Amino acid sequence: MSAPRGQGRGRGVGYNATHRVALIGGVLALCGVALVARAFHVQVIDNEFYLEQGDARALRELPIATSRGMITDRNGEPLAVSTPVASLWANPPELLEHADRIGELAAALSVPAETLASRVSQRADKEFMYLRRRISPAAADEVLDLGIPGVYSQREYRRFYPQGEALAHVLGFTNVDDRGQEGLELAFDEWLSGTPGAKRVIRDGQGRIIANVDLLRAPEPGKDLVLSIDRRIQYLAFRELRRAITEAKAAAGSVVILDVHSGEVLAMANLPSYNPNQLDGQAGDARRNRAVTDVVEPGSTMKPITVAAALEQRVVAPDTIVDTSPGYLRIDRFTISDFRNYGALTTTGLLTKSSNVGSVKLVRQLEDDYYYEFLKRFGFGSKPGSGFPGEASGLLAAPRQWDGSTKATMSYGYGLSATPLQIAVAYAALANGGKRIAPTFVKGGATEAEEILDPELADTLVHMMQTVTEPGGTATGGAVLGYHVAGKTGTSRKFSSSGGYSRDYVALFAGIVPVENPRFAMVVLIDEPDASKGHGYGGGATAAPVFKSVMEGALRLMDVPPDDIETWIAAQAKARGKDGNPPVLPLAAS
């Protein structure tokens, strides 16, 4: 049977396999050409956008850590150095893809797993978060060896202070980002801080660096800083201050030592102190540099300044007789008294015995404005200019603010306030031939001196002060064998926050050595010594011995020749009579 005519005729006319294959091939060829053209356009002609997108996924700009400048003492001994450490960080999105390993990471970091998981989740939209800052490279490697995806490390630096507590208040410390926070670390932060570098790297899918592409910026290390501090003298000052505070059962104390010709701070110690290498849990009060920031009423250490003013005005001479009888003086409703009735004293004897009555009788002969300006010459009422952060200016009221007894009490150290550093600067000016120079913590950082007192007058006054440490003076405990010492004790009551004065004392000794060719000015302050020991809490009993102990070492260390050989020879002869050994000259240490 034959097929229907219409069906057979339609298949023969409507279907052509060759044409259909050609059509499909043509379409595919056009698509291929289009894809090639698009690829050429994307990869060659207009590739910038896609290069940027690729780089954003593979290229990273990483910081290159740089070290902070080293701080050294005047002899090049390191006081603050930066050591390399590692900081662990994470890429939160990557770490969350392996959330099952967060517990393992938390155990390695010694933190609760829930706490770490919460921190990571909160930063799920970030690419960076610190896990642990400034740990040893070995400790960081232990964590990295776990192979937890999204956990990396970077190099940083941590500050280390070899002298620990002894220099903590001078140096200060840095924070976790190695920026100065207190002390000279803060004052010279810009000088010490380096400039971090930067580099471009390629990371693979696991975040590992597979190639360094480019150095964008070379790191610049911080500049070193050479201080005027002598770490040997600093250690002596800190050790002897600690001993004195322990023996006096005192609350605190400070020591300042200046080179009188340059104003350089050779030592500055405070107690209580703190360990700058381990700040956690240490009270902020212990971090205060009391020698620069805390003011006290200077007590009788002001009497040499008062006598200098009287000598300059020629109202007295060193041998002028001042009658201090009967040992007290009434001013308004106040009674000013001496320890006992010293009777007739020379002006020099006024210093030797530390007579309050004598000081008042001298200052009464001076004009108010003159006395005020004279004290300002010595730096009272203004910042010393050392550049130390938080430097205090003390208090010196203008004459229009004085009442009937203000000038009288100021003459022996009440009614004004100063820091130990200010007192040291004033005494250094006396020792430097009447030239005041701003203190500096930088070796070679001396500024131009200002003449504030006639050199001959200054020399006369220093020799008058020498009697204070000789037999009959109030500070024989500050005498240094082989050297003439000029100084002055001070013992003042502390002002009470409730008004008036408390039963707590501040004991001071300010000294200059050697008298014939002064090199050092030193101030010792003992805060709240135990007053239950009678008069053992005064400056002569508690502060002067610190001066002696420290200066015995400092004079040898700094090669200062003795100026009192006769006394030394006599002492050695006496000692030789006991042990039979010949005397040995007190030569400076090599």
Side-chain angles (χ1 to χ4, degrees):
M1 181 179 295
S2 63
R5 291 180 58 191
Q7 184 176 1
R9 189 170 49 247
R11 180 183 299 129
V13 174
Y15 178 79
N16 190 322
T18 301
H19 290 170
R20 181 166 295 186
V21 169
L23 177 62
I24 294 172
V27 171
L28 292 175
L30 288 174
C31 290
V33 171
L35 289 174
V36 171
R38 178 59 178 167
F40 180 80
H41 183 270
V42 166
Q43 296 183 34
V44 179
I45 298 176
D46 189 21
N47 62 354
E48 183 175 343
F49 172 77
Y50 294 97
L51 286 174
E52 290 178 355
Q53 292 298 306
D55 289 347
R57 289 161 173 78
L59 283 178
R60 289 290 186 274
E61 183 176 317
L62 297 181
I64 303 175
T66 187
S67 62
R68 192 174 176 86
M70 182 169 61
I71 301 177
T72 71
D73 81 340
R74 64 185 306 107
N75 301 310
E77 295 293 333
L79 303 178
V81 295
S82 292
T83 57
V85 292
S87 288
L88 292 170
W89 63 277
N91 183 338
E94 186 179 354
L95 181 57
L96 288 172
E97 292 179 3
H98 305 272
D100 57 312
R101 303 200 65 182
I102 291 181
E104 183 182 358
L105 176 61
L109 296 174
S110 299
V111 298
E114 298 80 4
T115 301
L116 180 59
S118 175
R119 287 182 55 212
V120 174
S121 297
Q122 291 172 2
R123 294 165 176 78
D125 59 337
K126 308 293 183 181
E127 292 187 350
F128 182 93
M129 65 171 283
Y130 279 115
L131 296 173
R132 181 68 58 80
R133 297 290 301 273
R134 302 198 304 182
I135 61 177
S136 68
D141 289 341
E142 289 182 4
V143 177
L144 294 176
D145 289 343
L146 297 175
I148 301 174
V151 177
Y152 310 98
S153 72
Q154 68 182 33
R155 186 177 186 178
E156 292 187 312
Y157 288 89
R158 181 175 182 174
R159 210 64 161 158
F160 176 66
Y161 303 94
Q163 302 301 313
E165 292 183 323
L167 260 171
H169 297 104
V170 173
L171 297 177
F173 54 89
T174 59
N175 63 8
V176 71
D177 294 315
D178 216 22
R179 304 295 301 196
Q181 299 299 291
E182 289 189 17
L184 297 181
E185 289 278 26
L186 173 60
F188 291 93
D189 186 59
E190 185 176 349
W191 176 270
L192 293 166
S193 296
T195 303
K199 63 180 179 179
R200 184 175 288 122
V201 301
I202 297 178
R203 293 186 182 276
D204 62 12
Q206 285 71 45
R208 296 171 298 190
I209 296 176
I210 59 176
N212 290 308
V213 177
D214 190 17
L215 176 63
L216 302 178
R217 184 175 61 254
E220 297 180 11
K223 294 181 281 291
D224 292 343
L225 179 65
V226 181
L227 300 186
S228 59
I229 296 289
D230 187 306
R231 69 173 183 84
R232 303 166 300 175
I233 301 176
Q234 178 73 26
Y235 172 74
L236 285 174
F238 184 78
R239 183 190 68 187
E240 296 305 319
L241 179 64
R242 180 168 54 190
R243 178 182 299 171
I245 288 176
T246 301
E247 292 177 353
K249 299 180 181 178
S254 299
V255 168
V256 178
I257 304 175
L258 299 180
D259 183 303
V260 300
H261 300 301
S262 65
E264 293 181 350
V265 180
L266 299 175
M268 180 178 285
N270 295 275
L271 282 169
S273 188
Y274 67 97
N275 184 358
N277 297 306
Q278 185 62 49
L279 295 172
D280 296 339
Q282 299 191 53
D285 185 62
R287 301 177 187 176
R288 196 170 68 248
N289 188 345
R290 300 167 185 266
V292 176
T293 64
D294 287 17
V295 297
V296 297
E297 289 181 302
S300 294
T301 59
M302 281 299 298
K303 288 174 183 172
I305 311 299
T306 299
V307 170
L311 291 173
E312 184 177 75
Q313 288 291 286
R314 301 182 184 278
V315 299
V316 291
D319 56 356
T320 300
I321 299 298
V322 181
D323 186 9
T324 65
S325 297
Y328 61 87
L329 191 65
R330 292 282 300 179
I331 297 181
D332 295 337
R333 59 190 178 87
F334 301 103
T335 299
I336 296 170
S337 60
D338 286 336
F339 177 61
R340 65 179 178 83
N341 182 7
Y342 295 113
L345 293 173
T346 63
T347 308
T348 301
L350 183 159
L351 294 175
T352 309
K353 298 299 183 182
S354 193
S355 172
N356 296 335
V357 174
S359 295
V360 173
K361 288 192 171 184
L362 292 190
V363 84
R364 278 178 160 181
Q365 302 178 63
L366 304 176
E367 294 291 336
D368 291 357
D369 288 337
Y370 166 79
Y371 187 57
Y372 171 74
E373 292 297 334
F374 190 83
L375 296 183
K376 286 186 67 68
R377 275 194 243 164
F378 279 83
F380 294 102
S382 59
K383 294 183 179 181
S386 70
F388 196 92
E391 189 178 58
S393 60
L395 175 65
L396 178 63
R400 64 179 179 276
Q401 299 172 300
W402 295 357
D403 58 27
S405 62
T406 299
K407 186 171 72 170
T409 57
M410 286 171 60
S411 72
Y412 58 90
Y414 282 88
L416 76 164
S417 63
T419 64
L421 179 58
Q422 284 179 295
I423 300 171
V425 169
Y427 273 64
L430 294 176
N432 192 31
K435 296 179 180 179
R436 181 167 67 90
I437 187 168
T440 178
F441 288 90
V442 179
K443 183 179 181 181
T447 56
E448 186 175 351
E450 176 188 1
E451 185 170 314
I452 60 173
L453 196 65
D454 179 76
E456 185 176 344
L457 194 159
D459 182 66
T460 297
L461 186 64
V462 170
H463 280 83
M464 293 169 66
M465 293 163 60
Q466 180 181 324
T467 63
V468 174
T469 62
E470 295 177 338
T474 59
T476 55
V480 180
L481 184 62
Y483 297 87
H484 291 300
V485 175
K488 187 69 193 74
T489 54
T491 307
S492 61
R493 284 185 179 271
K494 296 185 69 173
F495 195 78
S496 173
S497 58
S498 60
Y501 288 91
S502 69
R503 294 186 177 182
D504 294 324
Y505 293 86
V506 172
L508 300 107
F509 179 78
I512 297 165
V513 67
V515 167
E516 299 307 326
N517 185 18
R519 281 290 307 277
F520 307 127
M522 177 176 174
V523 171
V524 182
L525 182 150
I526 306 296
D527 189 14
E528 297 184 16
D530 186 1
S532 64
K533 299 179 180 179
H535 290 280
Y537 59 84
T542 61
V546 178
F547 176 93
K548 173 185 178 179
S549 298
V550 176
M551 280 297 130
E552 283 179 339
L555 290 163
R556 290 194 301 269
L557 290 169
M558 300 297 279
D559 294 333
V560 179
D563 65 341
D564 187 17
I565 293 294
E566 294 79 9
T567 302
W568 180 86
I569 291 176
Q572 289 295 310
K574 184 177 180 181
R576 183 175 57 178
K578 294 180 179 180
D579 57 25
N581 293 321
V584 179
L585 288 174
L587 298 177
S590 59

